[in-house]
Amino acid sequence: MSKILGIIAEYNPFHNGHLYHLEKSKKLTGCDYTIAIMSGNFTQRGSTSIIDKWEKTKMALSNGIDLVIELPTLYSISSGENFADGAIKILNSLNIVDYLSFGTEVQDINILNKIAEILYKEPNEYKSILAAELKKGISFPKARENALFVYSGNSEEYLNILSCPNNILGIEYLKALKKYESSIKPICIPRFESEHNSYSFSSNIASSTAIRNFVKNKNFDTIKNLIPIDTYNILMNNLKNGYIVPDLSIFEKEIIYVLRKLSIDEIANLPDVSEGLEFNIKNAANSCNTLYELISLIKSKRYTQTRIQRILLYALLGVTKNDMRIAKNTVPYVRVLGFNSNGKNIISEISKKNTNLKIITSVKKFVDNNTNRNMENLLNKDILSTNIYTIAFSNISEGNLDFKNRIIKSD
């Protein structure tokens, strides 16, 4: 029987570190096929994907992924917990995935599993410590890190684990696997060379953050050594055609416009807005002219820049708290973005094993036949996010690409 590996990724863009992770994962698991659950045009840190989801799909397929499935927008732009929850729900629903592999900053998955167990079960003692930490006015991620340290009896093995982004996401994947009693076996691949979100690099490995920065600054000679040749060619083609969307600042006027238009109550209804933050957001939007100024005026010890950027993205995309509630209570559809010949076999196997699973290979057909309102809500946000994303193209800016673009097929 074939072994199937699942990977959850943004591939923004696909680089040598991703290739290392993919090849190492295949070797460790001995898998035959690989499925990537990939975020689309906007990302979990509240920013844009540098190229659109179809171009990222081409990168993934050309570098060894067999099947690319889109993580719906409502998960891909959400907190780490909701991002992971949505992706695991999709992988689990396929009913054929044997392994999940993710990158970490630690060598041993057991420490992440211990933390995931605490965060999943949330013992009363831990919750009390967390509440006390939150009263100090610090951010939730920092409060959670402190609470875990105290709850564990100041165990040094818990130190700095939750200050590393890949560890945090890994823990959220493990929590979701426990929540859904999944049979998928998790493995971790320690991060090689460059740190997550670092602007520096060594050898031929750099973070996606560094590479996007090099693209922005037109440092193409450096980029060429940090990404596979297919990724490089796809990036250069998108740059030539005016389809690069560097970061959220490209939408700064639209974001400020939307926030000035929204009422205080409507801002309060954006996900992650609480404790009167809506007033700060409204006042900031009325007194600044750039995204940098806007974030600087809103940001505080309690509200991190990433959380603020996600809120601004929710405003831009019209995402409400009710949209997030729907996403949390829905097992998403399986939206196929691309596949190779192996991926085609995987889709056939998925269809045979899951006759009731909603697999989207044509958005129009799905829209015409779908009767599930929750899935309709998820898909409408995907369609809208693409329509807004393409506004940033410096060349031809078409709408409705989710209906027009075909599935990417690779030999």
Side-chain angles (χ1 to χ4, degrees):
M1 184 176 283
S2 300
K3 289 183 184 176
I4 296 180
L5 168 70
I7 288 175
I8 301 164
E10 291 188 319
Y11 292 153
N12 185 29
F14 192 104
H15 55 62
N16 289 343
H18 293 133
L19 187 60
Y20 168 82
H21 171 257
L22 178 57
E23 291 179 344
K24 189 84 172 173
S25 301
K26 286 180 175 182
K27 189 175 179 181
L28 279 174
T29 61
C31 73
D32 303 288
Y33 302 123
T34 309
I35 300 171
I37 307 298
M38 188 186 75
S39 60
N41 298 321
F42 293 94
T43 66
Q44 197 267 325
R45 293 186 66 79
S47 193
T48 62
S49 175
I50 196 166
I51 55 174
D52 72 39
K53 58 193 178 187
W54 293 280
E55 297 298 298
K56 289 197 297 183
T57 297
K58 290 177 186 176
M59 288 180 178
L61 294 174
S62 67
N63 285 289
I65 297 292
D66 297 311
L67 172 63
V68 180
I69 294 169
E70 181 178 4
L71 179 63
T73 303
L74 287 176
Y75 306 105
S76 71
I77 64 172
S78 188
S79 66
E81 181 178 40
N82 207 33
F83 178 97
D85 195 75
I88 295 297
K89 280 193 286 194
I90 295 173
L91 278 178
N92 211 39
S93 71
L94 302 180
N95 201 27
I96 62 167
V97 178
D98 298 288
Y99 298 97
L100 168 68
S101 176
F102 50 87
T104 57
E105 286 88 2
V106 298
Q107 299 281 334
D108 186 3
I109 198 171
N110 290 322
I111 179 63
L112 300 184
N113 209 33
K114 286 180 189 176
I115 294 172
E117 188 72 14
I118 295 168
L119 297 183
Y120 172 59
K121 290 186 174 176
E122 287 197 314
N124 289 331
E125 184 186 349
Y126 164 76
K127 286 198 284 189
S128 298
I129 298 168
L130 178 61
E133 288 296 320
L134 285 169
K135 284 180 182 176
K136 295 177 182 177
I138 57 178
S139 68
F140 179 78
K142 188 61 184 173
R144 187 169 68 167
E145 183 179 4
N146 292 348
L148 273 168
F149 184 60
V150 174
Y151 177 77
S152 68
N154 300 333
S155 171
E156 288 193 7
E157 70 174 347
Y158 288 81
L159 274 176
N160 301 319
I161 295 291
L162 287 179
S163 60
C164 301
N166 283 299
N167 289 343
I168 293 170
L169 265 182
I171 289 165
E172 295 299 345
Y173 296 146
L174 294 170
K175 272 175 57 186
L177 289 173
K178 293 175 189 297
K179 178 179 176 182
Y180 298 110
E181 299 180 342
S182 177
S183 62
I184 298 171
K185 183 181 179 183
I187 65 165
C188 72
I189 307 293
R191 198 170 177 85
F192 178 67
E193 298 285 355
S194 178
E195 293 181 7
H196 184 83
N197 287 333
S198 170
Y199 284 92
S200 64
F201 67 97
S202 59
S203 183
N204 67 338
I205 301 286
S207 70
S208 296
T209 303
I211 292 166
R212 291 193 299 273
N213 193 53
F214 291 138
V215 172
K216 203 172 176 181
N217 294 318
K218 297 181 168 58
N219 196 343
F220 303 126
D221 288 338
T222 302
I223 294 169
K224 204 165 189 176
N225 296 319
L226 301 171
I227 57 181
I229 187 62
D230 290 317
T231 293
Y232 181 81
N233 291 337
I234 291 166
L235 262 182
M236 291 305 103
N237 188 55
N238 277 268
L239 193 69
K240 177 185 172 184
N241 292 324
Y243 299 151
I244 295 289
V245 183
D247 56 46
L248 194 62
S249 66
I250 203 161
F251 293 108
E252 63 186 4
K253 297 302 182 188
E254 289 86 350
I255 289 169
I256 292 169
Y257 160 75
V258 168
L259 291 175
R260 288 185 179 184
K261 186 179 179 184
L262 291 177
S263 68
I264 291 289
D265 286 345
E266 287 169 327
I267 294 174
N269 197 32
L270 297 174
D272 289 351
V273 174
S274 60
E275 301 171 315
L277 183 62
E278 61 270 24
F279 296 100
N280 291 349
I281 293 172
K282 188 68 172 179
N283 291 335
N286 285 331
S287 58
C288 69
N289 203 34
T290 68
L291 188 73
Y292 176 79
E293 289 176 297
L294 182 63
I295 292 170
S296 297
L297 287 169
I298 302 168
K299 194 171 63 171
S300 67
K301 195 161 67 170
R302 183 180 281 276
Y303 299 102
T304 63
Q305 180 168 334
T306 298
R307 181 172 173 179
I308 297 302
Q309 285 188 191
R310 279 202 296 266
I311 290 169
L312 300 182
L313 194 48
Y314 298 147
L316 178 67
L317 300 180
V319 177
T320 66
K321 286 176 176 171
N322 188 52
D323 290 325
M324 283 302 179
R325 279 192 290 271
I326 289 171
K328 286 175 181 176
N329 293 317
T330 303
V331 176
Y333 41 73
V334 175
R335 168 83 185 276
V336 177
L337 290 178
F339 56 81
N340 59 19
S341 55
N342 286 340
K344 190 176 182 181
N345 294 335
I346 299 172
I347 294 170
S348 296
E349 192 64 26
I350 292 168
S351 299
K352 285 177 192 172
K353 283 202 170 189
N354 307 278
T355 53
N356 294 322
L357 191 63
K358 303 290 186 183
I359 301 176
I360 302 178
T361 53
S362 163
V363 170
K364 185 179 186 308
K365 283 183 184 176
F366 184 80
V367 168
D368 289 345
N369 298 310
N370 176 54
T371 56
N372 186 311
R373 295 190 67 179
N374 287 356
M375 289 195 182
E376 179 186 4
N377 190 62
L378 287 179
L379 187 59
N380 283 343
K381 290 302 178 188
D382 290 348
I383 294 166
L384 176 63
S385 73
T386 302
N387 286 340
I388 291 174
Y389 180 85
T390 58
I391 292 171
F393 290 173
S394 59
N395 199 345
I396 299 167
S397 178
E398 285 188 74
N400 285 333
L401 292 187
D402 285 280
F403 293 94
K404 296 174 185 175
N405 282 358
R406 294 185 177 182
I407 289 174
I408 306 299
K409 297 177 183 177
S410 174
D411 295 331

